[in-house]
Amino acid sequence: MINHPARPSAQPGHDGPADPPPRPPGPPVGAVRAGGAIRIPLRPRAARLLVLLAAFVCAACGLVYELELVALGGYLLGDSVTQTSVVLSVMVFAMGVGSLLVKGLTRRPATSFALVECALALTGGLSVLGLYTGWAWLDHHRAAMAALVATTFLIGLLIGAEIPLLMTLIQRIRREHAGRAAADLFAADYVGALIGGLAFPFLLLPAVGQATGALLTGAVNALAGAAVVLWLFRAEPSRRARPLLWTGCGLVLAVLAVAAACTGLIERAARQALYGGQIRFAAQSRYQEIVLTGGPPAAGAGPDGAAARVPEQRPAPPLELYLDGRLAVCGADEYREHEALVRPAMAAAPAGRVLVLGGDGLALREVLRHPGVGSVQVVELDPELTDLARRDPALAALGGYPYRDPRVRVTGADPLDWLRATGPQFDVIVSDLDGSAHGGKYRSREFLGLAARRLAPGGRIAVRTGPVGPQLWSAEAGLAAAGLRTVPYQGADGPAGCGQRVERPAFVLAGQERPVLALAADAPAPRSLTVDALRGSAARLAAARPPGPGAPHSLVD
């Protein structure tokens, strides 16, 4: 390098940049110095692009971790609005804290970045598996919530440390205007976040599921973050520290690989601890976790699927269907709820065209018991659930094999979106959807109004609302706001066959004219209902109705 004599500094008002001062004596060019240049094996432009690529990948991985925690919180702890708010607010706060704490590590940015990425890959990769198993074994809502918040804070802390370190690395490659460097870095970060946000629901979740998706993301994070930077800035660590860093990165990848190989075993053990009994089916669909337990084994097969040598000596445990950890169906007494939901709506009214919202096949069974039914349209958000109701022998038998009936047509769609589209009207609409799920949208004024729009003249709509309380009265108010006359009622009481004492659910029957609770004379007699019991429950609920007009639940609520 030829050293030119120092020139006079730029005059005030001169637009051109001032010439740099002469280089002070010091180590040769390329040596590692605190705050100075780092020898790299690539040209500055290529090295800078590689760092921006690392920022892009790390941002994509960080957003996948964030979405995994949001989805997992909603699945495991319910109330998706609360869980989303907690995860996002804690994550953003922790990112700010991480940005502040990392200032002391910028003297060795490559080494610090490699350590941060290894820790982030390990924490984020194991987060889903760890939180799920903890939730299954702890069996305590507050402990699970605390674990979710702690994991979110730690991941946010590590993500917040990335940008300052990456900015330092870019400036070590080539000194440039801070604004331009920040613009390029944030552009790579935001585009990476976009790719990660799209990859989570459309690629990772349907292809490999949450647990394996998080482990795969952690591996990509370790390779793109730690390994790339360690190779590009390999001159920064000392000779003694260099093999330790590479060994640590390799150990992180090994731990993630072992966890991925054992994911199935760990999930089965956690589900066994959570649900007990014989697990017939377990899957994490795009929309929910579905677990089916108990029930009789397949004919001629033992518990492990092999041919049974001796007859079963003990009665099989009741069939239980869990959706996101909540008991949705108890095979021992589910008929009480589904008879109460469907039978009054099918009595003394046209019933040729029926719409069933919800696809486990049990409400459909009660609809098909009525000989006047000409066609049934089933709308279910999760195709995994309808497939399970078709192929599992115990669940299909419990529903009376309803999907074999040629009158039944199944559509996989969100019921709210499906009702918005233009379509036929129905004589009877049965909503077998959980009114507390998805923020209560299936008991909202908008949902019930769209359902009422699909009701044919003289038709009826029956809605499951949950126990007697605010959900019942808000659903009744929503139907009334749609111009319908309503009658709230309850089904028969009885012992909880699955060992869980729960309050009797309530239902609302509505139509253009005030419905009269009755049972169809041309259908088989229900096992749990009588007309007197139905009308008695309606009289009790009418007396318990809060004074004044009820307030319907809205989607913006």
Side-chain angles (χ1 to χ4, degrees):
M1 177 179 292
I2 301 175
N3 291 323
H4 296 279
R7 297 180 182 177
S9 59
Q11 298 297 323
H14 181 63
D15 294 332
D19 289 4
R23 182 183 299 276
V29 175
V32 178
R33 297 183 300 165
I38 300 176
R39 186 172 58 248
I40 53 178
L42 298 177
R43 293 184 176 182
R45 181 183 295 273
R48 190 173 180 278
L49 289 176
L50 195 58
V51 172
L52 292 176
L53 179 62
F56 168 86
V57 175
C58 291
C61 294
L63 197 66
V64 169
Y65 298 143
E66 188 173 347
L67 294 176
E68 293 276 6
L69 294 173
V70 167
L72 193 68
Y75 289 159
L76 303 184
L77 302 176
D79 191 358
S80 59
V81 175
T82 299
Q83 307 311 324
T84 301
S85 301
V86 169
V87 170
L88 294 182
S89 57
V90 172
M91 179 75 72
V92 173
F93 170 73
M95 289 169 63
V97 175
S99 298
L100 289 175
L101 294 180
V102 81
K103 289 192 296 185
L105 303 178
T106 54
R107 292 178 61 83
R108 294 284 183 179
T111 303
S112 300
F113 187 79
L115 293 174
V116 166
E117 292 308 297
C118 285
L120 180 58
L122 196 62
T123 306
L126 297 175
S127 59
V128 172
L129 206 57
L131 287 172
Y132 180 78
T133 54
W135 172 74
W137 271 293
L138 290 175
D139 194 22
H140 196 287
H141 185 276
R142 290 185 178 179
M145 186 68 181
L148 176 66
V149 171
T151 304
T152 302
F153 183 83
L154 181 56
I155 291 176
L157 199 73
L158 295 169
I159 291 176
E162 290 177 333
I163 293 296
L165 293 174
L166 287 169
M167 177 66 77
T168 305
L169 289 174
I170 285 181
Q171 293 288 46
R172 292 290 180 89
I173 294 173
R174 185 180 66 194
R175 295 288 184 181
E176 59 181 313
H177 192 277
R180 288 193 293 270
D184 292 340
L185 186 58
F186 280 111
D189 185 81
Y190 294 150
V191 175
L194 171 66
I195 300 303
L198 295 177
F200 173 70
F202 297 113
L203 179 62
L204 289 177
L205 197 58
V208 296
Q210 278 192 284
T212 305
L215 293 168
L216 182 62
T217 303
V220 172
N221 204 165
L223 287 172
V228 168
V229 170
L230 277 179
W231 173 79
L232 184 61
F233 297 95
R234 57 180 177 265
E236 184 197 276
S238 65
R239 291 184 178 179
R240 185 174 299 178
R242 203 174 303 158
L244 294 177
L245 291 172
W246 282 109
T247 302
C249 185
L251 287 176
V252 168
L253 293 173
V255 169
L256 295 176
V258 171
C262 299
T263 294
L265 180 63
I266 295 172
E267 288 183 347
R268 284 193 296 271
R271 289 183 178 125
Q272 189 71 29
L274 179 63
Y275 302 110
Q278 174 191 359
I279 297 179
R280 304 178 61 91
F281 174 84
Q284 176 67 65
S285 74
R286 179 179 175 182
Y287 305 99
Q288 59 193 343
E289 182 192 53
I290 305 173
V291 177
L292 185 66
T293 68
D304 57 355
R309 298 183 179 181
V310 296
E312 185 71 28
Q313 300 296 320
R314 294 178 299 176
L319 191 71
E320 299 176 3
L321 175 64
Y322 293 87
L323 301 178
D324 285 343
R326 295 182 291 274
L327 182 64
V329 171
C330 173
D333 58 1
E334 57 77 24
Y335 66 92
R336 301 176 185 273
E337 294 188 15
H338 291 98
E339 285 183 348
L341 172 65
V342 175
R343 293 301 190 95
M346 301 292 294
R353 298 161 297 173
V354 181
L355 171 64
V356 176
L357 304 175
D360 59 19
L362 302 177
L364 178 60
R365 174 198 63 204
E366 299 300 326
V367 168
L368 294 175
R369 292 187 190 275
H370 296 76
V373 173
S375 64
V376 185
Q377 172 69 61
V378 178
V379 180
E380 166 59 42
L381 173 65
D382 194 346
E384 285 272 8
L385 185 59
T386 51
D387 289 345
L388 180 64
R390 283 190 178 101
R391 67 176 182 265
D392 183 82
L395 185 57
L398 185 64
Y401 305 97
Y403 291 111
R404 296 180 181 178
D405 195 300
R407 295 172 292 175
V408 177
R409 178 183 178 185
V410 182
T411 300
D414 186 331
L416 180 63
D417 293 339
W418 189 88
L419 289 171
R420 290 188 64 182
T422 302
Q425 291 186 317
F426 298 91
D427 300 310
V428 176
I429 298 177
V430 175
S431 177
D432 193 21
L433 302 170
D434 185 356
S436 62
H438 306 287
K441 76 175 184 178
Y442 294 135
R443 59 178 172 85
S444 66
R445 178 174 183 168
E446 293 83 356
F447 173 78
L448 298 173
L450 291 171
R453 192 180 65 175
R454 291 294 193 95
L455 204 60
R460 294 183 176 186
I461 178 171
V463 177
R464 176 195 296 274
T465 67
V468 176
Q471 292 187 17
L472 167 62
W473 308 122
S474 68
E476 184 186 29
L479 289 166
L484 302 180
R485 305 288 297 276
T486 61
V487 176
Y489 66 97
Q490 288 181 287
D493 197 4
C498 294
Q500 297 187 22
R501 176 65 62 180
V502 295
E503 189 176 350
R504 251 195 318 169
F507 310 90
V508 179
L509 183 62
Q512 283 90 2
E513 302 294 333
R514 182 177 176 83
V516 177
L517 293 172
L519 297 172
D522 59 346
R527 291 183 283 174
S528 64
L529 293 180
T530 64
V531 174
D532 291 340
L534 286 171
R535 294 177 180 177
S537 69
R540 289 192 300 272
L541 291 180
R545 181 184 285 110
H553 176 69
S554 173
L555 290 178
V556 297
D557 292 339

